[in-house]
Amino acid sequence: MIRPPRTLLPLLAAALVAAAPAQAQDSRGVTFESKKPFAAFSASAERLRDSIVSKARGSVGTRYKLGGTKPGIGLDCSGLVRYAMSMLDVVMPRTAQGQSKVGTEVPKDVAALKPGDVLTFGRGKRISHVGIYVGDGKMVHASTSQRQVIETSLTKRSPLIRQWKGVRRFVDANTTQLRDSILAFADSISK
């Protein structure tokens, strides 16, 4: 469930205004409307993804702490994801297993990933680790072996990457949740 936090309300309002059919005049004074009135939704989604990535990358170097949920004290993998997703005011489950069941499932393909996607790892049906895709084939995660939050490549061969199970997406201009949140916000300000 996505609830627009107060810090995102101006961004959502701007997206609604920008999503309204844009009108312009050509050199002859002829008025025409934009063919892509919802392009602003896509731009807003990209800014939200960038915010998640910034928050995740800002945690690089934070010490690993099992069960950790506070960046100043320590984070584990699911604590890092919860912290980064707080940009969206998304209520995330506490465990990696729980986080692997929320959001929208997308194909496990590096070419299809978008920054801010949550990557899930494990053996069998058990999900034991999560990380945040940050672009360019890299992810940020709380590494137990490095004892801190690190940025690592998805293309390098490692035991962790061999356990890659899936991808969950929380921000997409095409998702019903984002659209419904923006429309609900618009309804609330029009009353």
Side-chain angles (χ1 to χ4, degrees):
M1 178 172 85
I2 296 179
R3 298 174 312 210
R6 291 184 182 146
T7 57
L8 289 180
L9 293 180
L11 177 65
L12 293 173
L16 287 171
V17 170
Q23 294 185 348
Q25 288 187 348
D26 66 9
S27 59
R28 298 169 296 175
V30 176
T31 302
F32 58 93
E33 285 190 12
S34 168
K35 299 272 189 223
K36 298 181 180 180
F38 292 102
F41 285 134
S42 181
S44 294
E46 187 172 329
R47 284 190 290 276
L48 291 173
R49 284 192 294 271
D50 289 345
S51 296
I52 293 167
V53 168
S54 292
K55 209 161 191 183
R57 280 190 164 145
S59 299
V60 170
T62 301
R63 90 178 174 94
Y64 175 86
K65 181 179 180 189
L66 182 62
T69 59
K70 297 181 179 154
I73 298 171
L75 294 168
D76 68 1
C77 64
S78 56
L80 170 67
V81 169
R82 285 180 77 178
Y83 173 68
M85 289 298 172
S86 69
M87 285 300 304
L88 301 178
D89 202 22
V90 174
V91 178
M92 296 290 288
R94 173 64 194 101
T95 66
Q97 181 74 35
Q99 291 175 1
S100 72
K101 296 176 182 173
V102 295
T104 303
E105 185 174 7
V106 295
K108 188 184 113 179
D109 175 12
V110 174
L113 295 177
K114 292 187 178 184
D117 285 349
V118 175
L119 309 179
T120 61
F121 302 86
R123 290 188 180 140
K125 292 185 179 189
R126 185 173 175 266
I127 300 299
S128 57
H129 191 67
V130 288
I132 298 173
Y133 183 71
V134 294
D136 298 324
K138 297 179 180 179
M139 74 167 185
V140 170
H141 67 110
S143 170
T144 56
S145 62
Q146 298 288 316
R147 305 301 300 159
Q148 65 181 340
V149 175
I150 63 170
E151 185 169 320
T152 190
S153 173
L154 287 171
T155 57
K156 117 180 164 179
R157 298 183 69 89
S158 76
L160 175 64
I161 301 308
R162 284 194 296 272
Q163 295 176 11
W164 185 17
K165 292 293 187 189
V167 181
R168 307 305 287 192
R169 182 165 294 156
F170 293 87
V171 178
D172 192 340
N174 298 321
T175 60
T176 306
Q177 289 179 332
L178 182 60
R179 185 197 67 222
D180 289 349
S181 294
I182 292 171
L183 293 175
F185 173 70
D187 287 344
S188 72
I189 61 172
S190 66
K191 293 180 181 177

